[in-house]
Amino acid sequence: MKMKLAAVAAAILPLAACVEDTGGTASTGAPAVGSSSDLSSFEGARAGQAEMGIQNLGYQNIRSDGLTSWWFNSSTGACARITTSNGVYSDVTMLPAQDC
């Protein structure tokens, strides 16, 4: 169990470094990449390992169609469409909440 947890942590830790620090300066209104509002940094991640990281950010998989899944964060209203190819997230697109 410890080995599995360590492997998941090792896979997610590099993604945490992708979070954008706005430093309290004027914001453009865009969410920080890799945050509970923007999952685009998960593109290229191994699907099985990254799924827990997405869930830890508050997202739930609400529907799937083939290799494409839609994830919704009810706390932030963020919606993501994630396509898996060859075991990795090949496309991560943030969508308006109504698309979820």
Side-chain angles (χ1 to χ4, degrees), residues 4-22:
K4 188 174 185 180
L5 185 57
V8 170
I12 294 173
L13 189 58
L15 296 174
C18 296
V19 175
E20 198 174 90
D21 180 10
T22 60

PDB file of all heavy atoms in Angstrom, residues 4-22:
ATOM      1  N   LYS A   4       2.278   1.917  -3.435  1.00  0.00           N
ATOM      2  CA  LYS A   4       1.276   2.454  -4.355  1.00  0.00           C
ATOM      3  C   LYS A   4       1.028   3.930  -4.057  1.00  0.00           C
ATOM      4  O   LYS A   4       0.961   4.743  -4.958  1.00  0.00           O
ATOM      5  CB  LYS A   4      -0.022   1.659  -4.253  1.00  0.00           C
ATOM      6  CG  LYS A   4      -1.037   2.030  -5.293  1.00  0.00           C
ATOM      7  CD  LYS A   4      -2.232   1.113  -5.232  1.00  0.00           C
ATOM      8  CE  LYS A   4      -3.185   1.435  -6.366  1.00  0.00           C
ATOM      9  NZ  LYS A   4      -4.354   0.576  -6.353  1.00  0.00           N
ATOM     10  N   LEU A   5       0.905   4.259  -2.769  1.00  0.00           N
ATOM     11  CA  LEU A   5       0.690   5.650  -2.380  1.00  0.00           C
ATOM     12  C   LEU A   5       1.874   6.513  -2.777  1.00  0.00           C
ATOM     13  O   LEU A   5       1.702   7.621  -3.287  1.00  0.00           O
ATOM     14  CB  LEU A   5       0.464   5.738  -0.861  1.00  0.00           C
ATOM     15  CG  LEU A   5       0.118   7.100  -0.306  1.00  0.00           C
ATOM     16  CD1 LEU A   5      -1.133   7.656  -0.971  1.00  0.00           C
ATOM     17  CD2 LEU A   5      -0.091   7.026   1.191  1.00  0.00           C
ATOM     18  N   ALA A   6       3.073   5.990  -2.621  1.00  0.00           N
ATOM     19  CA  ALA A   6       4.271   6.735  -3.008  1.00  0.00           C
ATOM     20  C   ALA A   6       4.304   6.959  -4.516  1.00  0.00           C
ATOM     21  O   ALA A   6       4.684   8.031  -4.989  1.00  0.00           O
ATOM     22  CB  ALA A   6       5.528   5.999  -2.555  1.00  0.00           C
ATOM     23  N   ALA A   7       3.870   5.953  -5.287  1.00  0.00           N
ATOM     24  CA  ALA A   7       3.850   6.085  -6.748  1.00  0.00           C
ATOM     25  C   ALA A   7       2.845   7.145  -7.171  1.00  0.00           C
ATOM     26  O   ALA A   7       3.114   7.960  -8.058  1.00  0.00           O
ATOM     27  CB  ALA A   7       3.523   4.750  -7.396  1.00  0.00           C
ATOM     28  N   VAL A   8       1.680   7.163  -6.517  1.00  0.00           N
ATOM     29  CA  VAL A   8       0.661   8.170  -6.840  1.00  0.00           C
ATOM     30  C   VAL A   8       1.176   9.561  -6.465  1.00  0.00           C
ATOM     31  O   VAL A   8       1.047  10.506  -7.238  1.00  0.00           O
ATOM     32  CB  VAL A   8      -0.673   7.853  -6.131  1.00  0.00           C
ATOM     33  CG1 VAL A   8      -1.651   8.997  -6.264  1.00  0.00           C
ATOM     34  CG2 VAL A   8      -1.278   6.569  -6.688  1.00  0.00           C
ATOM     35  N   ALA A   9       1.765   9.668  -5.290  1.00  0.00           N
ATOM     36  CA  ALA A   9       2.296  10.965  -4.862  1.00  0.00           C
ATOM     37  C   ALA A   9       3.385  11.447  -5.811  1.00  0.00           C
ATOM     38  O   ALA A   9       3.444  12.623  -6.163  1.00  0.00           O
ATOM     39  CB  ALA A   9       2.841  10.868  -3.436  1.00  0.00           C
ATOM     40  N   ALA A  10       4.239  10.529  -6.250  1.00  0.00           N
ATOM     41  CA  ALA A  10       5.313  10.902  -7.178  1.00  0.00           C
ATOM     42  C   ALA A  10       4.752  11.361  -8.514  1.00  0.00           C
ATOM     43  O   ALA A  10       5.314  12.232  -9.175  1.00  0.00           O
ATOM     44  CB  ALA A  10       6.263   9.731  -7.378  1.00  0.00           C
ATOM     45  N   ALA A  11       3.620  10.795  -8.923  1.00  0.00           N
ATOM     46  CA  ALA A  11       3.014  11.181 -10.195  1.00  0.00           C
ATOM     47  C   ALA A  11       2.301  12.523 -10.092  1.00  0.00           C
ATOM     48  O   ALA A  11       2.286  13.301 -11.038  1.00  0.00           O
ATOM     49  CB  ALA A  11       2.026  10.112 -10.653  1.00  0.00           C
ATOM     50  N   ILE A  12       1.733  12.812  -8.936  1.00  0.00           N
ATOM     51  CA  ILE A  12       0.954  14.044  -8.763  1.00  0.00           C
ATOM     52  C   ILE A  12       1.840  15.226  -8.377  1.00  0.00           C
ATOM     53  O   ILE A  12       1.587  16.349  -8.781  1.00  0.00           O
ATOM     54  CB  ILE A  12      -0.153  13.828  -7.709  1.00  0.00           C
ATOM     55  CG1 ILE A  12      -1.156  12.811  -8.248  1.00  0.00           C
ATOM     56  CG2 ILE A  12      -0.851  15.123  -7.361  1.00  0.00           C
ATOM     57  CD1 ILE A  12      -2.193  12.383  -7.253  1.00  0.00           C
ATOM     58  N   LEU A  13       2.891  14.971  -7.617  1.00  0.00           N
ATOM     59  CA  LEU A  13       3.755  16.044  -7.137  1.00  0.00           C
ATOM     60  C   LEU A  13       4.264  16.958  -8.241  1.00  0.00           C
ATOM     61  O   LEU A  13       4.185  18.179  -8.109  1.00  0.00           O
ATOM     62  CB  LEU A  13       4.917  15.469  -6.323  1.00  0.00           C
ATOM     63  CG  LEU A  13       5.775  16.480  -5.587  1.00  0.00           C
ATOM     64  CD1 LEU A  13       4.922  17.306  -4.635  1.00  0.00           C
ATOM     65  CD2 LEU A  13       6.870  15.770  -4.828  1.00  0.00           C
ATOM     66  N   PRO A  14       4.748  16.428  -9.382  1.00  0.00           N
ATOM     67  CA  PRO A  14       5.217  17.331 -10.433  1.00  0.00           C
ATOM     68  C   PRO A  14       4.094  18.221 -10.980  1.00  0.00           C
ATOM     69  O   PRO A  14       4.334  19.341 -11.395  1.00  0.00           O
ATOM     70  CB  PRO A  14       5.727  16.393 -11.532  1.00  0.00           C
ATOM     71  CG  PRO A  14       6.025  15.118 -10.843  1.00  0.00           C
ATOM     72  CD  PRO A  14       5.049  15.036  -9.714  1.00  0.00           C
ATOM     73  N   LEU A  15       2.862  17.722 -10.938  1.00  0.00           N
ATOM     74  CA  LEU A  15       1.742  18.530 -11.419  1.00  0.00           C
ATOM     75  C   LEU A  15       1.468  19.704 -10.492  1.00  0.00           C
ATOM     76  O   LEU A  15       1.033  20.762 -10.932  1.00  0.00           O
ATOM     77  CB  LEU A  15       0.486  17.660 -11.564  1.00  0.00           C
ATOM     78  CG  LEU A  15       0.584  16.561 -12.615  1.00  0.00           C
ATOM     79  CD1 LEU A  15      -0.647  15.677 -12.568  1.00  0.00           C
ATOM     80  CD2 LEU A  15       0.767  17.151 -13.988  1.00  0.00           C
ATOM     81  N   ALA A  16       1.726  19.513  -9.195  1.00  0.00           N
ATOM     82  CA  ALA A  16       1.510  20.594  -8.243  1.00  0.00           C
ATOM     83  C   ALA A  16       2.409  21.784  -8.554  1.00  0.00           C
ATOM     84  O   ALA A  16       2.048  22.927  -8.309  1.00  0.00           O
ATOM     85  CB  ALA A  16       1.761  20.097  -6.819  1.00  0.00           C
ATOM     86  N   ALA A  17       3.567  21.525  -9.122  1.00  0.00           N
ATOM     87  CA  ALA A  17       4.495  22.597  -9.469  1.00  0.00           C
ATOM     88  C   ALA A  17       3.981  23.430 -10.639  1.00  0.00           C
ATOM     89  O   ALA A  17       4.486  24.508 -10.903  1.00  0.00           O
ATOM     90  CB  ALA A  17       5.858  22.021  -9.808  1.00  0.00           C
ATOM     91  N   CYS A  18       2.964  22.933 -11.322  1.00  0.00           N
ATOM     92  CA  CYS A  18       2.415  23.651 -12.474  1.00  0.00           C
ATOM     93  C   CYS A  18       1.407  24.719 -12.085  1.00  0.00           C
ATOM     94  O   CYS A  18       0.937  25.452 -12.938  1.00  0.00           O
ATOM     95  CB  CYS A  18       1.740  22.670 -13.439  1.00  0.00           C
ATOM     96  SG  CYS A  18       2.893  21.500 -14.170  1.00  0.00           S
ATOM     97  N   VAL A  19       1.050  24.796 -10.808  1.00  0.00           N
ATOM     98  CA  VAL A  19       0.068  25.782 -10.376  1.00  0.00           C
ATOM     99  C   VAL A  19       0.671  27.166 -10.517  1.00  0.00           C
ATOM    100  O   VAL A  19       1.783  27.433 -10.087  1.00  0.00           O
ATOM    101  CB  VAL A  19      -0.377  25.518  -8.921  1.00  0.00           C
ATOM    102  CG1 VAL A  19      -1.307  26.609  -8.435  1.00  0.00           C
ATOM    103  CG2 VAL A  19      -1.040  24.163  -8.817  1.00  0.00           C
ATOM    104  N   GLU A  20      -0.084  28.037 -11.123  1.00  0.00           N
ATOM    105  CA  GLU A  20       0.371  29.396 -11.386  1.00  0.00           C
ATOM    106  C   GLU A  20       0.214  30.253 -10.142  1.00  0.00           C
ATOM    107  O   GLU A  20      -0.830  30.269  -9.523  1.00  0.00           O
ATOM    108  CB  GLU A  20      -0.513  29.944 -12.514  1.00  0.00           C
ATOM    109  CG  GLU A  20       0.031  31.136 -13.211  1.00  0.00           C
ATOM    110  CD  GLU A  20      -0.870  31.475 -14.383  1.00  0.00           C
ATOM    111  OE1 GLU A  20      -1.810  32.259 -14.161  1.00  0.00           O
ATOM    112  OE2 GLU A  20      -0.651  30.960 -15.477  1.00  0.00           O
ATOM    113  N   ASP A  21       1.238  30.967  -9.760  1.00  0.00           N
ATOM    114  CA  ASP A  21       1.183  31.878  -8.627  1.00  0.00           C
ATOM    115  C   ASP A  21       0.942  33.275  -9.158  1.00  0.00           C
ATOM    116  O   ASP A  21       1.775  33.837  -9.852  1.00  0.00           O
ATOM    117  CB  ASP A  21       2.496  31.816  -7.843  1.00  0.00           C
ATOM    118  CG  ASP A  21       2.509  32.744  -6.641  1.00  0.00           C
ATOM    119  OD1 ASP A  21       1.440  33.293  -6.300  1.00  0.00           O
ATOM    120  OD2 ASP A  21       3.588  32.915  -6.057  1.00  0.00           O
ATOM    121  N   THR A  22      -0.217  33.839  -8.801  1.00  0.00           N
ATOM    122  CA  THR A  22      -0.542  35.182  -9.282  1.00  0.00           C
ATOM    123  C   THR A  22       0.129  36.253  -8.430  1.00  0.00           C
ATOM    124  O   THR A  22       0.147  37.409  -8.808  1.00  0.00           O
ATOM    125  CB  THR A  22      -2.060  35.410  -9.304  1.00  0.00           C
ATOM    126  OG1 THR A  22      -2.566  35.246  -7.974  1.00  0.00           O
ATOM    127  CG2 THR A  22      -2.735  34.436 -10.246  1.00  0.00           C
TER     128      THR A  22
END
